[in-house]
Amino acid sequence: MFRYIKMDLYKLLKSKFFYICMIVFLALIALSVVEIRDIEKDVLAGREVQISDSDTYYTTGIGPNAYKVVGDGINLKNLINMTYGGNMMLLMALITLVLLLCSDYSAGYIKNTIVIPKYRWYTNISKIVSAFIIMTAENILAVFSYLWCIKFYFKSAAIGEVKGLGQYLAVEMILYLGLAALFIFVCDLTQSKATGISLGVLVSCQLVGTLIMVLIGEVFNIKPKTTVKLIISFVQSDLMAGMSRSVCKEALILGGVALLVYTTFANIVVSKKDY
Amino acid sequence: MGNQVEYVIETNNLTKKFEKNFKSSYAVSSVNMHIKKGAIYGLIGKNGAGKTTIMRMIAGLAKPTTGEIHLFGDCNSKNMSYRRLGILIENPGIFPGMSAYDNMKCKAICLGISGYKEKINEILKLVGLEDVGKKQAKKFSLGMKQRLGIGLALLGGPDVLILDEPINGLDPQGILEIRELLIKLNKEKNITILISSHILEELSKLVTHYGIVKDGKLIEEISSEKLKEKCLERIEVKTDNPDKASTVIEKAGIMNYKVVDANTIHIYEKLDELKEINKLLIKNEVDVDSITVNSEGLEDYFIDITGK
């Protein structure tokens, strides 16, 4: 299994899309920083900025979050929190994962390697590890980018509580891995880049979550208050709003269950499928 | 230890059923195949006959609906037997954005080959891709891609090569090189080869055994020696009454003959007594349209056996 993981990492580092996604991710961070800096300037100048003005600051899709970040006091955790809140980190990570996964299928390379490991499902575990590495690379990129901005760019920023940041990133990672398992399952099933990327975009903009919530509400007459606890992207938003003990617990349980269930489904698909 | 396996690949009632729109169809039906160690086994059949499906099942890429596959005498697919197979099925599976070396390195890492650099370079040289450098595989010609596919199959020192249409898209020089390479691998490294191709003429220069597939069934397994015997020179009698002709032939003591169709009889003995046989048939009031001595090639034999 370790050989398969090693191979996936080699593929990841050799492929352009990994670097392109990281560059796009970095560019989005830069845009968000410019946006926050503008708001910060207004706040420091004593100008009152209304939330309703958020349309003016909507370049990166993180406009409202940018207000919150400035309002709460700019620090490392808030800035990173914002990148998750805007879902851009998630989107980039998921697209990288989908491209990594589906390149095996579209190129037909899977035929060369699927029979090498003792069990076919080793390939899925390898992809989960790859997802973890992609997310870690993004985390490192985000932390260092924002640290640099805090030191040289913002006027009123602080590093903030490091332990809290660590906990936040760990819980986010579990949620992300749960979502990554879903994508691995979908990619194994459809073997289609287009399906994977489309799903990535829809999940990131919470459209899938909203649809599921509405459907569950209509069919089972369950209140949205309960349903949101079952949808990763909504729990992630809750997490962004505040790291309370109960939200953390919910996020860990949901992420863990999603990781386990979707990985099991993906393993069944890979074991049964013909290549 | 030292227990020699007679067949490196053996299938027992191998069947693959596909379900589509609640209708099931058999792509492969009860195939019993026997491939001896060191053989070059040519799988021949029309398009859609089931050759690729058989190969995919043997290679572990597809699961049989029923039946068993014994690889190296072992029928447990969970063991590591598949690692001893080198496969090139349908199109070569290569990453278009990577170079030939990087494509090979990916598989070498997966196989856990130590000192892969030398091995990769050795194989690239063997398949004639030693000079491609960092050129991306997407810029390769079809023949180059095919060679890289064979190179990937050779990585890890397989005991058996499974090659589905490996000479597709190759120019005559490329076909010759691949043929020589396969013969060399078979003779020098004792690699057993299962190969399919539509170019029967080319296949006949390579293979030691044939498996003829029709409508998902293996209708005949035959060694190239036996096939040569079958394709030997014969007297071909064209007549509108083969039943009467065969009675006359038998009375003349000829037993090695075959009624091929409603108008043709093949006689495999007494080839130098053409005139006498002709006279005998005419004497017994059998209308002979033509009587000639000729021989059959692999293509004719294949068409005869699978039907036009």
Side-chain angles (χ1 to χ4, degrees), chain A residues 241-265:
Chain A
M243 278 272 291
S244 72
R245 211 179 172 82
S246 64
V247 172
C248 263
K249 201 175 153 188
E250 280 168 21
L252 284 172
I253 292 172
L254 182 63
V257 169
L259 179 63
L260 203 71
V261 170
Y262 290 128
T263 306
T264 308
F265 286 165

Side-chain angles (χ1 to χ4, degrees), chain B residues 178-243:
Chain B
I178 295 296
R179 189 207 311 152
E180 283 171 355
L181 170 67
L182 295 180
I183 291 172
K184 190 176 162 191
L185 290 168
N186 177 254
K187 295 271 181 281
E188 291 178 11
K189 298 193 175 177
N190 199 24
I191 296 178
T192 308
I193 300 170
L194 169 60
I195 185 172
S196 77
S197 177
H198 282 117
I199 310 170
L200 300 184
E201 178 71 24
E202 192 50 46
L203 211 57
S204 67
K205 293 173 186 166
L206 266 180
V207 304
T208 57
H209 293 78
Y210 292 94
I212 301 171
V213 187
K214 187 190 177 189
D215 301 330
K217 290 181 178 141
L218 186 72
I219 53 173
E220 188 169 10
E221 265 189 323
I222 186 169
S223 68
S224 57
E225 283 86 20
K226 281 205 173 151
L227 183 68
K228 272 176 197 160
E229 276 174 30
K230 280 197 173 185
C231 295
L232 277 177
E233 284 192 328
R234 77 232 160 170
I235 297 170
E236 189 173 282
V237 182
K238 292 273 181 192
T239 172
D240 53 5
N241 196 346
D243 291 341

Side-chain angles (χ1 to χ4, degrees), chain B residues 9-283:
Chain B
I9 298 173
E10 192 179 358
T11 67
N12 189 8
N13 287 321
L14 191 65
T15 301
K16 182 75 182 176
K17 191 167 83 172
F18 289 114
E19 303 274 352
K20 202 174 183 186
N21 300 332
F22 304 104
K23 282 180 186 171
S24 55
S25 61
Y26 286 88
V28 173
S29 178
S30 300
V31 165
N32 296 305
M33 213 165 141
H34 308 86
I35 305 178
K36 281 182 182 166
K37 189 173 167 58
I40 302 181
Y41 191 101
L43 204 55
I44 54 179
K46 292 177 185 173
N47 284 334
K51 303 183 297 291
T52 303
T53 311
I54 292 173
M55 288 179 142
R56 284 169 67 219
M57 283 193 282
I58 291 172
L61 296 175
K63 308 255 173 190
T65 308
T66 55
E68 288 174 343
I69 300 165
H70 296 257
L71 290 179
F72 311 101
D74 195 343
C75 74
N76 181 7
S77 65
K78 280 192 177 68
N79 67 18
M80 303 306 272
S81 299
Y82 291 127
R83 292 174 62 100
R84 295 171 66 186
L85 306 178
I87 56 172
L88 168 60
I89 290 183
E90 291 171 322
N91 306 314
I94 47 182
F95 289 121
M98 284 190 192
S99 67
Y101 181 87
D102 287 338
N103 267 290
M104 298 278 279
K105 190 174 168 183
C106 265
K107 194 179 172 188
I109 292 171
C110 193
L111 284 165
I113 299 171
S114 56
Y116 53 74
K117 198 173 175 182
E118 292 78 32
K119 280 176 188 156
I120 291 172
N121 287 329
E122 187 189 316
I123 293 171
L124 285 176
K125 197 176 172 188
L126 198 67
V127 295
L129 291 175
E130 73 271 35
D131 298 324
V132 293
K134 290 189 174 175
K135 190 177 178 180
Q136 289 178 316
K138 65 181 168 196
K139 291 172 185 161
F140 284 6
S141 68
L142 194 61
M144 287 163 85
K145 285 179 186 167
Q146 209 70 11
R147 285 159 201 257
L148 181 55
I150 294 174
L152 279 164
L154 287 172
L155 205 60
D159 293 313
V160 175
L161 272 180
I162 299 178
L163 308 171
D164 185 18
E165 306 283 351
I167 51 176
N168 259 8
L170 294 181
D171 52 31
Q173 179 66 24
I175 291 175
L176 180 75
E177 282 170 19
I178 295 296
R179 189 207 311 152
E180 283 171 355
L181 170 67
L182 295 180
I183 291 172
K184 190 176 162 191
L185 290 168
N186 177 254
K187 295 271 181 281
E188 291 178 11
K189 298 193 175 177
N190 199 24
I191 296 178
T192 308
I193 300 170
L194 169 60
I195 185 172
S196 77
S197 177
H198 282 117
I199 310 170
L200 300 184
E201 178 71 24
E202 192 50 46
L203 211 57
S204 67
K205 293 173 186 166
L206 266 180
V207 304
T208 57
H209 293 78
Y210 292 94
I212 301 171
V213 187
K214 187 190 177 189
D215 301 330
K217 290 181 178 141
L218 186 72
I219 53 173
E220 188 169 10
E221 265 189 323
I222 186 169
S223 68
S224 57
E225 283 86 20
K226 281 205 173 151
L227 183 68
K228 272 176 197 160
E229 276 174 30
K230 280 197 173 185
C231 295
L232 277 177
E233 284 192 328
R234 77 232 160 170
I235 297 170
E236 189 173 282
V237 182
K238 292 273 181 192
T239 172
D240 53 5
N241 196 346
D243 291 341
K244 195 174 177 185
S246 54
T247 313
V248 174
I249 289 166
E250 278 183 26
K251 275 184 185 168
I254 298 169
M255 293 299 159
N256 192 4
Y257 74 93
K258 187 178 164 191
V259 179
V260 180
D261 57 41
N263 298 305
T264 317
I265 296 178
H266 287 167
I267 301 169
Y268 299 98
E269 56 183 297
K270 297 186 179 176
L271 300 180
D272 51 347
E273 294 176 21
L274 180 78
K275 280 181 189 169
E276 286 74 12
I277 294 170
N278 190 22
K279 277 182 195 165
L280 190 71
L281 288 168
I282 291 166
K283 196 178 161 187

Side-chain angles (χ1 to χ4, degrees), chain A residues 14-87:
Chain A
K14 273 278 165 186
S15 58
K16 272 189 222 153
F17 60 76
F18 176 66
Y19 299 101
I20 292 169
C21 283
M22 288 298 149
I23 289 167
V24 171
F25 177 67
L26 213 55
L28 288 169
I29 286 180
L31 275 173
S32 70
V33 166
V34 170
E35 207 163 298
I36 294 167
R37 180 74 185 107
D38 280 352
I39 299 169
E40 189 195 34
K41 268 183 195 166
D42 286 344
V43 172
L44 289 176
R47 281 193 293 272
E48 210 170 293
V49 182
Q50 299 295 320
I51 296 294
S52 57
D53 289 343
S54 62
D55 286 349
T56 326
Y57 302 104
Y58 221 83
T59 333
T60 58
I62 53 161
N65 298 330
Y67 284 92
K68 193 176 176 302
V69 168
V70 177
D72 292 351
I74 302 168
N75 61 45
L76 187 58
K77 181 173 168 277
N78 275 351
L79 288 167
I80 291 193
N81 200 335
M82 180 190 63
T83 60
Y84 280 108
N87 282 318

